Amino acid sequence: MSYDLGGFSITASTSRTMLVIFAIYTVVIVGFGFYIKYQSRKGSQDGLASFLTGGGGLGAFAIAMIAATNSMAGGTMITAPGLGYKVGFTAALVYYAGFLTAAYGLGSVGRKVAILRDRTGAVTFQQLLGLRFQSKAVVAALAITGAFGLTFFAAGQISAGAKVFAAVTGTNAYYLGIVLVIVITVIYTLSGGIKSMAKVAVIQGVIMLLATFAIIGILIATNVENHGSVRATMEYLGSAFPGAIQANTGFSFWNAMGTALFAGVGLGAVPHALSVTMTYNNHKKLKQGVMISCCVFTLVQGIMCFTGPLTYAINPNLETADYTTIFNATNLLPSWVGGIIFCGIFAAVQSSLAGLAMAGASMLAKDFIVDCCKPSTPAKTQSRINTTCVLVIALIATLIALKPSELTQYIINFALAALGAAWYFPVLVGMYWKKATAKGMVASIVGGFASYVVFYFLSSVIPATKAWWAASLGGVHAFLPAWILSLVLLVAVSKATKNERIKLGYFQVFFCADYDEKYAKVDTLKD
């Protein structure tokens, strides 16, 4: 018995083997969550700060794996190979820029955050910027845009994982896939917080590496067997699928530029990537984490992007391009290896989803509800509020994934890029530019987010403006103009409100070696 998936099929025995391996994987990662919860209680570190930051005591490898797996997500294991299958090596080259996200998040931003975290005792990135500008408006703008974008992006991750589960089982098990994705992720996230994520991320990162090497290895071997050599494979693609090897197809210059900037720098500024900067407390860990994360991301992101065209050379008949990795796992490799790859796909989805839920919940719970609205909330109540927010975000994302309409699909599509456009310059410039003001920050955040939404609909949704966008603007990716506008707003509004001053004490905390400790307290936010 076999299941037809359009251009290829999966045998029932292969499906069963993959599900058994997936079950073992699930037991292991859920077990880690409960173990970390037990250890945290045993060590009297069960508060919200420990839940969100791990006490700053995570190792370099754990930090690197959280950063890498959060960023890779289902896009690396599912969407990127599918895009390469449809477009060719151009897509692989453009999306390869994604490896830069770790260098931005842990490097340029993380270096200063590591210092400020020790000075202030902040547990979220938004707390730092709130203290820097003495503005609840800045915190609220970050929290609301962040929670909104991450919730809808989480819905996309849940849906992607459910579709993969339904395909591998060969049944209409989409809803069961949703349940498994969300329940497993919520259990290990709530049970152990960032420490649980760290332990699981190490396992997930190793699985994703194994899956990546297995896929590229079998693709090269099969293509050599079918076509005689790698060169002959490229020659075959050149005749059967010219776009696969031609740089002038698939993307216009400006579309490629905007996409590369989004993948390479924009994704490094999204909230669930930045939250990793709060988890380490010394420069040695920082340097090691950046190097490890960049290496892992470079290997997995780069190789998986290149698997699409190589898969086309073996099977040009896939009806669903996003099933590229599933075809490789179920038709080219032994079923037990396919099971590992199946776990790798789920690992990418779950690790990203865990980061999304934690980051979105901490924004609503800690940054918005507690810091902006109820700063006197007791520690235990803060933890309960955070748990509630994790569950609410998971519930909303699940409901969206259950019945995705055309409108919600559009929102899912632009959620992450809107956050990249809205957060990049406020995060970078806000931490380093001494003349930035609170009003400039708010204008940049809101303007970047709103402008991307407008540009996205003009360039990709509305038929009349879509044609004009392609003809007059070269099909530029909507991220690029929104990203630039965010910077213009930040600089222009900051200069227009240059008389807006914070006390010298707060300024010294962020920009001077000598500072007064009383200004470094994150609970001093007044307005």
Side-chain angles (χ1 to χ4, degrees):
M1 181 180 176
S2 62
Y3 312 114
D4 181 29
L5 292 176
F8 73 105
S9 60
I10 301 176
T11 65
S13 61
T14 296
S15 177
R16 285 194 296 269
T17 302
M18 295 174 72
L19 288 175
V20 168
I21 295 174
F22 175 71
I24 296 171
Y25 156 80
T26 298
V27 171
V28 170
I29 65 169
V30 170
F32 262 118
F34 284 112
Y35 173 74
I36 296 301
K37 182 70 171 179
Y38 170 75
Q39 290 294 105
S40 296
R41 286 180 173 175
K42 187 178 178 181
S44 300
Q45 296 179 340
D46 199 31
L48 181 57
S50 177
F51 181 89
L52 295 176
T53 68
L58 298 183
F61 189 71
I63 294 166
M65 287 300 98
I66 294 175
T69 55
N70 274 5
S71 299
M72 288 187 286
T76 297
M77 302 298 288
I78 302 171
T79 306
L83 188 61
Y85 185 91
K86 289 189 297 185
V87 176
F89 287 113
T90 304
L93 291 172
V94 170
Y95 276 90
Y96 191 63
F99 80 92
L100 292 171
T101 58
Y104 173 86
L106 296 182
S108 58
V109 174
R111 182 177 181 276
K112 187 159 187 176
V113 169
I115 298 171
L116 295 173
R117 179 185 176 279
D118 289 339
R119 289 186 178 185
T120 64
V123 298
T124 71
F125 191 84
Q126 293 71 244
Q127 274 190 313
L128 284 178
L129 289 177
L131 180 65
R132 157 73 177 90
F133 294 99
Q134 283 298 288
S135 171
K136 290 183 179 180
V138 171
V139 177
L142 290 168
I144 293 172
T145 57
F148 180 86
L150 294 185
T151 299
F152 278 94
F153 184 60
Q157 293 297 301
I158 294 170
S159 181
K163 289 177 181 177
V164 170
F165 183 83
V168 168
T169 57
T171 64
N172 190 23
Y174 176 78
Y175 297 113
L176 176 58
I178 286 179
V179 172
L180 289 175
V181 170
I182 195 65
V183 169
I184 295 169
T185 304
V186 168
I187 288 175
Y188 80 70
T189 301
L190 284 181
S191 58
I194 197 70
K195 288 185 177 180
S196 177
M197 276 185 63
K199 297 292 184 182
V200 172
V202 170
I203 297 173
Q204 291 172 329
V206 171
I207 290 175
M208 291 168 72
L209 281 169
L210 292 174
T212 299
F213 291 138
I215 290 172
I216 193 65
I218 195 63
L219 281 173
I220 293 174
T222 304
N223 273 298
V224 169
E225 180 181 350
N226 291 352
H227 301 287
S229 66
V230 173
R231 179 176 179 177
T233 300
M234 295 300 106
E235 291 174 349
Y236 166 78
L237 285 173
S239 59
F241 181 18
I245 59 175
Q246 293 178 7
N248 62 345
T249 59
F251 290 91
S252 66
F253 172 79
W254 288 111
N255 186 267
M257 177 67 74
T259 303
L261 284 170
F262 164 60
V265 297
L267 287 176
V270 295
H272 60 296
L274 289 174
S275 63
V276 183
T277 62
M278 305 299 295
T279 61
Y280 51 85
N281 54 14
N282 67 63
H283 295 289
K284 185 177 180 180
K285 290 181 182 179
L286 166 63
K287 293 177 182 178
Q288 293 174 342
V290 170
M291 289 188 290
I292 295 170
S293 183
C294 284
C295 288
V296 172
F297 202 157
T298 299
L299 284 171
V300 177
Q301 178 87 350
I303 292 174
M304 291 306 297
C305 283
F306 280 89
T307 60
L310 294 178
T311 303
Y312 187 96
I314 296 171
N315 183 358
N317 301 314
L318 297 185
E319 294 179 7
T320 304
D322 284 347
Y323 285 172
T324 298
T325 301
I326 298 174
F327 165 75
N328 293 325
T330 58
N331 282 244
L332 302 183
L333 290 162
S335 57
W336 65 271
V337 180
I340 294 175
I341 294 174
F342 179 39
C343 292
I345 296 173
F346 252 77
V349 171
Q350 290 171 328
S351 59
S352 178
L353 184 58
L356 295 170
M358 279 195 63
S362 69
M363 288 176 198
L364 290 178
K366 179 63 179 170
D367 301 314
F368 187 67
I369 296 175
V370 175
D371 290 349
C372 290
C373 302
K374 297 182 178 181
S376 60
T377 303
K380 287 187 177 180
T381 304
Q382 290 184 28
S383 295
R384 294 192 191 100
I385 294 173
N386 187 76
T387 299
T388 301
C389 287
V390 170
L391 294 174
V392 168
I393 288 176
L395 177 61
I396 293 174
T398 302
L399 292 175
I400 295 171
L402 283 174
K403 295 287 185 181
S405 65
E406 187 175 3
L407 176 60
T408 54
Q409 186 58 50
Y410 287 142
I411 297 174
I412 290 171
N413 288 345
F414 69 61
L416 202 57
L419 284 177
W423 280 51
Y424 182 87
F425 286 114
V427 166
L428 185 63
V429 176
M431 296 296 288
Y432 285 99
W433 189 35
K434 298 176 182 180
K435 296 182 180 180
T437 66
K439 288 185 175 63
M441 289 284 287
V442 173
S444 181
I445 295 164
V446 176
F449 194 94
S451 63
Y452 180 83
V453 174
V454 173
F455 294 152
Y456 175 80
F457 274 87
L458 289 176
S459 64
S460 304
V461 180
I462 304 172
T465 57
K466 184 178 179 180
W468 169 82
W469 190 279
S472 302
L473 301 178
V476 62
H477 192 293
F479 173 79
L480 185 57
W483 186 61
I484 294 173
L485 180 60
S486 176
L487 175 61
V488 171
L489 287 171
L490 177 57
V491 174
V493 176
S494 291
K495 286 186 174 294
T497 57
K498 60 183 179 181
N499 292 328
E500 179 185 295
R501 293 283 188 266
I502 61 170
K503 288 184 178 180
L504 179 62
Y506 297 115
F507 180 89
Q508 290 173 330
V509 171
F510 282 80
F511 298 106
C512 302
D514 297 322
Y515 61 94
D516 190 333
E517 289 284 351
K518 71 179 182 180
Y519 291 104
K521 297 178 181 179
V522 292
D523 58 357
T524 57
L525 193 57
K526 303 297 183 183
D527 67 343

